Amino acid sequence: MKKLIFGHQEKLYFLVGLVVTLSLLWPLFWAPSFTYHDDVQTIRLFEMDKCIRDLQIPCRWVPDLGGIYGYPLFNYYAPLPYYFGELFYFISHSLLISVKVMFATAMVGSFVFMYLLGRKLWGNKGGAISAVFYSFAPYHAVDFYVRGEMGEMWGLMFFPAIFWAILRLKEAPRIYNLLLVALFVALILASHNLSAMLFLPIAVVFAGFLFFQKRDSKFAKLFLLSIILGLTMSAFYWLPMNAEKNLVHIETMVEGYFSYTEHFKGLKKLFVERYWGWGPSVREIPGIQEDNMLSYQIGWVHILGWLLSLLTAVKLWRTKRSVSLLVAFSSLAILGTVFMINPYSAFVWKLVDPLKYLQFPWRFLLLTIFFISMISGSIFLWLEGKKQLFIWLGLLVLVIALNFSYFRPEKFLQVTDAQILSGKDWDREIKRSIFDFLPIFAKEPPAELATARYQTLYGDIKVSNFREGTNWFSFNADTNGYSIIRISQYYFPDWRIFVDGQQAHIQYTDNSLGLMTLI
């Protein structure tokens, strides 16, 4: 009976943490929608739904974006959150509700996986604190209610899942745990390639850290196999994304505003300032241009958790050296991320060219909040008796009191699906995405949205029965002589046109938009 009661008490820590995490979702129930920077989630889900209904699986070419000229969005942009959202859209028939479910899943999933990781490392109390710290990290609020960065939120969800699976594989080098690691590797790659680029090298180093504690060759072999399997499972996305990146304009993603040189932040932004805003990130020039986003803080309570973990490392150096080494490893990672956000790291960014695709150095806060949250629960390895409960409640109250107010949008919106998919809102959403992954055959983006699906350039031609799907179109054409017709569709390799069953030549270099012209 005593064991049963104790077991229920331990579960209580998880349930309390889950409840306070769920409280962060309150804006999802307050209004149909709200403002955030990356306001393209609904249109992307709408396009994914069109693909699925058209049996274009996996979805690569979307018909409406790119100014209604269509382009290969999901050939390059990680699609997993939108496949998941499509399941709920199929049931609810509501884009707005489905997008909310996508956000909420990432938020709650982050808590659950961090709890599983923390519990394995520090026990139930420590696991619950690590998970709550992760949920309440200010950068989580930035991704959720300021930027609306769906991909990053899904990446944050799989960070602790991967570490948890690696620890399971270390403890029990079996096929089941190998598959678990592989699954989470595949999921993060298909969710947000930038998060994967940041985290997977760290995961490999972490596995190496575990291997050198106890040189288990079976663990090393199974881990290597799990990475290969994870890459294979997600190859449907990352392989064409990398192999065909020369077929779209990506230079606009690293130039001008999106150059990493414009978004370094100093230590004061990370450790001291608590002012909150919803503006865009800019290069701050004192007296001339201020950064009114101001949401780059690590969090005062999180810094306290880090300090307590360092105290733990000192306390347990003789008795549990592996814990001290893990805290030291994580602390080095935290310091490294802080350095990468600071302008003094510019030489590293120049040296490692792929880093430019991160665009914003402060994306390294993804790793900062992960490592700080993970090790913040370590203090419960040496606290005893009533001190444990007192410290646990104190940390819980502090993180809620100081960070809860960040989890709110700037404005709530009273809109419907119908309004989003029509009129000015529709035009705005289509135009917002016009530069993303524009095929290189278009020398410039369109000045306006396509107003007709085709245009007769020469000759006397009658077009009838024009039909189209997400990545196909067909029509009947009657002509008495030489005629030229141009389709309002960007050219992209593997588009093929057949006339009377015979493959025809496609001309696309005769216009600045790279639209397909057919004689």
Side-chain angles (χ1 to χ4, degrees), residues 20 81 109 120 175 177 190 208 303 315 340 383 451 461 475:
V20 297
K120 184 167 285 294
I175 296 298
N177 290 324
I303 295 171
K315 286 270 189 182
M340 291 302 292
L383 287 175
T451 56
I461 185 170
F475 57 88

Side-chain angles (χ1 to χ4, degrees), residues 158-170:
F158 293 123
F159 283 6
I162 291 172
F163 264 36
W164 171 66
I166 292 173
L167 284 173
R168 285 178 58 97
L169 183 63
K170 177 66 170 64

Side-chain angles (χ1 to χ4, degrees), residues 63-220:
D64 299 313
L65 300 185
I68 318 185
Y69 293 99
Y71 66 20
L73 174 66
F74 290 117
N75 202 53
Y76 300 94
Y77 196 86
L80 180 62
Y82 304 94
Y83 284 120
F84 179 81
E86 171 63 15
L87 295 175
F88 287 89
Y89 185 45
F90 183 79
I91 297 170
S92 67
H93 304 291
S94 171
L95 290 171
L96 294 173
I97 290 175
S98 301
V99 168
K100 288 179 180 181
V101 170
M102 292 159 67
F103 277 124
T105 298
M107 194 69 187
V108 176
S110 294
F111 169 83
V112 172
F113 284 126
M114 181 57 85
Y115 173 78
L116 292 173
L117 172 61
R119 183 180 67 173
K120 184 167 285 294
L121 292 170
W122 332 119
N124 286 280
K125 295 185 185 70
I129 279 298
S130 290
V132 171
F133 270 43
Y134 200 43
S135 298
F136 277 78
Y139 191 71
H140 236 140
V142 171
D143 266 357
F144 200 163
Y145 293 118
V146 179
R147 299 180 63 216
E149 233 310 335
M150 187 73 72
E152 274 194 13
M153 288 193 65
W154 277 62
L156 282 167
M157 174 170 61
F158 293 123
F159 283 6
I162 291 172
F163 264 36
W164 171 66
I166 292 173
L167 284 173
R168 285 178 58 97
L169 183 63
K170 177 66 170 64
E171 292 176 357
R174 298 171 185 163
I175 296 298
Y176 173 80
N177 290 324
L178 177 154
L179 294 175
L180 200 61
V181 175
L183 175 64
F184 289 133
V185 167
L187 291 177
I188 194 173
L189 281 164
S191 296
H192 194 237
N193 56 332
L194 295 180
S195 294
M197 183 177 77
L198 279 176
F199 191 76
L200 290 182
I202 295 290
V204 172
V205 173
F206 177 65
F209 170 80
L210 295 178
F211 170 75
F212 284 109
Q213 286 184 350
K214 183 182 178 182
R215 296 175 186 270
D216 186 342
S217 60
K218 186 177 181 181
F219 163 71

Side-chain angles (χ1 to χ4, degrees), residues 111 305 364 376:
F111 169 83
F364 272 92
S376 289

